[in-house]
PDB file of all heavy atoms in Angstrom:
ATOM      1  N   MET W  78     -84.859  64.222 -28.049  1.00 98.00           N
ATOM      2  CA  MET W  78     -84.909  63.677 -26.745  1.00 98.00           C
ATOM      3  C   MET W  78     -85.924  62.521 -26.670  1.00 98.00           C
ATOM      4  O   MET W  78     -86.917  62.553 -27.379  1.00 98.00           O
ATOM      5  CB  MET W  78     -85.279  64.676 -25.662  1.00 98.00           C
ATOM      6  CG  MET W  78     -84.209  65.729 -25.500  1.00 98.00           C
ATOM      7  SD  MET W  78     -84.727  66.957 -24.253  1.00 98.00           S
ATOM      8  CE  MET W  78     -86.032  67.763 -25.176  1.00 98.00           C
ATOM      9  N   ALA W  79     -85.619  61.513 -25.887  1.00 98.00           N
ATOM     10  CA  ALA W  79     -86.559  60.398 -25.729  1.00 98.00           C
ATOM     11  C   ALA W  79     -87.728  60.736 -24.821  1.00 98.00           C
ATOM     12  O   ALA W  79     -88.800  60.182 -24.921  1.00 98.00           O
ATOM     13  CB  ALA W  79     -85.822  59.134 -25.168  1.00 98.00           C
ATOM     14  N   ASP W  80     -87.557  61.799 -23.998  1.00 97.00           N
ATOM     15  CA  ASP W  80     -88.580  62.204 -23.083  1.00 97.00           C
ATOM     16  C   ASP W  80     -88.540  63.732 -22.877  1.00 97.00           C
ATOM     17  O   ASP W  80     -87.557  64.231 -22.324  1.00 97.00           O
ATOM     18  CB  ASP W  80     -88.445  61.457 -21.750  1.00 97.00           C
ATOM     19  CG  ASP W  80     -89.497  61.722 -20.746  1.00 97.00           C
ATOM     20  OD1 ASP W  80     -90.322  62.669 -20.910  1.00 97.00           O
ATOM     21  OD2 ASP W  80     -89.566  60.955 -19.758  1.00 97.00           O
ATOM     22  N   MET W  81     -89.559  64.466 -23.231  1.00 97.00           N
ATOM     23  CA  MET W  81     -89.593  65.914 -23.127  1.00 97.00           C
ATOM     24  C   MET W  81     -89.561  66.335 -21.669  1.00 97.00           C
ATOM     25  O   MET W  81     -89.222  67.496 -21.343  1.00 97.00           O
ATOM     26  CB  MET W  81     -90.818  66.451 -23.839  1.00 97.00           C
ATOM     27  CG  MET W  81     -90.725  67.939 -24.045  1.00 97.00           C
ATOM     28  SD  MET W  81     -89.235  68.575 -24.959  1.00 97.00           S
ATOM     29  CE  MET W  81     -89.651  68.209 -26.614  1.00 97.00           C
ATOM     30  N   ASN W  82     -89.834  65.417 -20.714  1.00 98.00           N
ATOM     31  CA  ASN W  82     -89.739  65.755 -19.326  1.00 98.00           C
ATOM     32  C   ASN W  82     -88.265  66.008 -18.951  1.00 98.00           C
ATOM     33  O   ASN W  82     -87.998  66.549 -17.893  1.00 98.00           O
ATOM     34  CB  ASN W  82     -90.322  64.620 -18.430  1.00 98.00           C
ATOM     35  CG  ASN W  82     -91.843  64.589 -18.573  1.00 98.00           C
ATOM     36  OD1 ASN W  82     -92.504  65.577 -18.589  1.00 98.00           O
ATOM     37  ND2 ASN W  82     -92.352  63.386 -18.618  1.00 98.00           N
ATOM     38  N   ASP W  83     -87.317  65.588 -19.770  1.00 98.00           N
ATOM     39  CA  ASP W  83     -85.898  65.854 -19.541  1.00 98.00           C
ATOM     40  C   ASP W  83     -85.387  67.153 -20.038  1.00 98.00           C
ATOM     41  O   ASP W  83     -84.232  67.526 -19.914  1.00 98.00           O
ATOM     42  CB  ASP W  83     -85.024  64.763 -20.213  1.00 98.00           C
ATOM     43  CG  ASP W  83     -85.155  63.427 -19.560  1.00 98.00           C
ATOM     44  OD1 ASP W  83     -85.423  63.370 -18.321  1.00 98.00           O
ATOM     45  OD2 ASP W  83     -84.925  62.406 -20.210  1.00 98.00           O
ATOM     46  N   PHE W  84     -86.287  68.023 -20.590  1.00 98.00           N
ATOM     47  CA  PHE W  84     -85.947  69.272 -21.281  1.00 98.00           C
ATOM     48  C   PHE W  84     -85.168  70.156 -20.338  1.00 98.00           C
ATOM     49  O   PHE W  84     -84.126  70.675 -20.725  1.00 98.00           O
ATOM     50  CB  PHE W  84     -87.150  69.985 -21.736  1.00 98.00           C
ATOM     51  CG  PHE W  84     -86.791  71.271 -22.534  1.00 98.00           C
ATOM     52  CD1 PHE W  84     -86.444  71.196 -23.877  1.00 98.00           C
ATOM     53  CD2 PHE W  84     -86.812  72.443 -21.850  1.00 98.00           C
ATOM     54  CE1 PHE W  84     -86.092  72.403 -24.554  1.00 98.00           C
ATOM     55  CE2 PHE W  84     -86.425  73.611 -22.569  1.00 98.00           C
ATOM     56  CZ  PHE W  84     -86.092  73.594 -23.885  1.00 98.00           C
ATOM     57  N   ALA W 106     -89.221  65.715 -28.895  1.00 97.00           N
ATOM     58  CA  ALA W 106     -89.231  64.361 -28.317  1.00 97.00           C
ATOM     59  C   ALA W 106     -89.555  63.363 -29.448  1.00 97.00           C
ATOM     60  O   ALA W 106     -90.401  63.672 -30.331  1.00 97.00           O
ATOM     61  CB  ALA W 106     -90.239  64.269 -27.230  1.00 97.00           C
ATOM     62  N   VAL W 107     -88.854  62.281 -29.464  1.00 97.00           N
ATOM     63  CA  VAL W 107     -89.058  61.216 -30.462  1.00 97.00           C
ATOM     64  C   VAL W 107     -89.380  59.936 -29.762  1.00 97.00           C
ATOM     65  O   VAL W 107     -89.073  59.765 -28.545  1.00 97.00           O
ATOM     66  CB  VAL W 107     -87.846  61.082 -31.397  1.00 97.00           C
ATOM     67  CG1 VAL W 107     -87.676  62.373 -32.194  1.00 97.00           C
ATOM     68  CG2 VAL W 107     -86.562  60.762 -30.643  1.00 97.00           C
ATOM     69  N   LEU W 115     -80.855  58.736 -24.534  1.00 98.00           N
ATOM     70  CA  LEU W 115     -81.850  59.658 -24.066  1.00 98.00           C
ATOM     71  C   LEU W 115     -81.814  60.948 -24.899  1.00 98.00           C
ATOM     72  O   LEU W 115     -82.804  61.666 -24.889  1.00 98.00           O
ATOM     73  CB  LEU W 115     -81.581  60.015 -22.576  1.00 98.00           C
ATOM     74  CG  LEU W 115     -81.634  58.810 -21.576  1.00 98.00           C
ATOM     75  CD1 LEU W 115     -81.226  59.298 -20.219  1.00 98.00           C
ATOM     76  CD2 LEU W 115     -82.940  58.176 -21.620  1.00 98.00           C
TER      77      LEU W 115
END
Side-chain angles (χ1 to χ4, degrees):
M78 291 178 291
D80 186 346
M81 195 54 80
N82 290 320
D83 287 335
F84 182 85
V107 296
L115 300 177

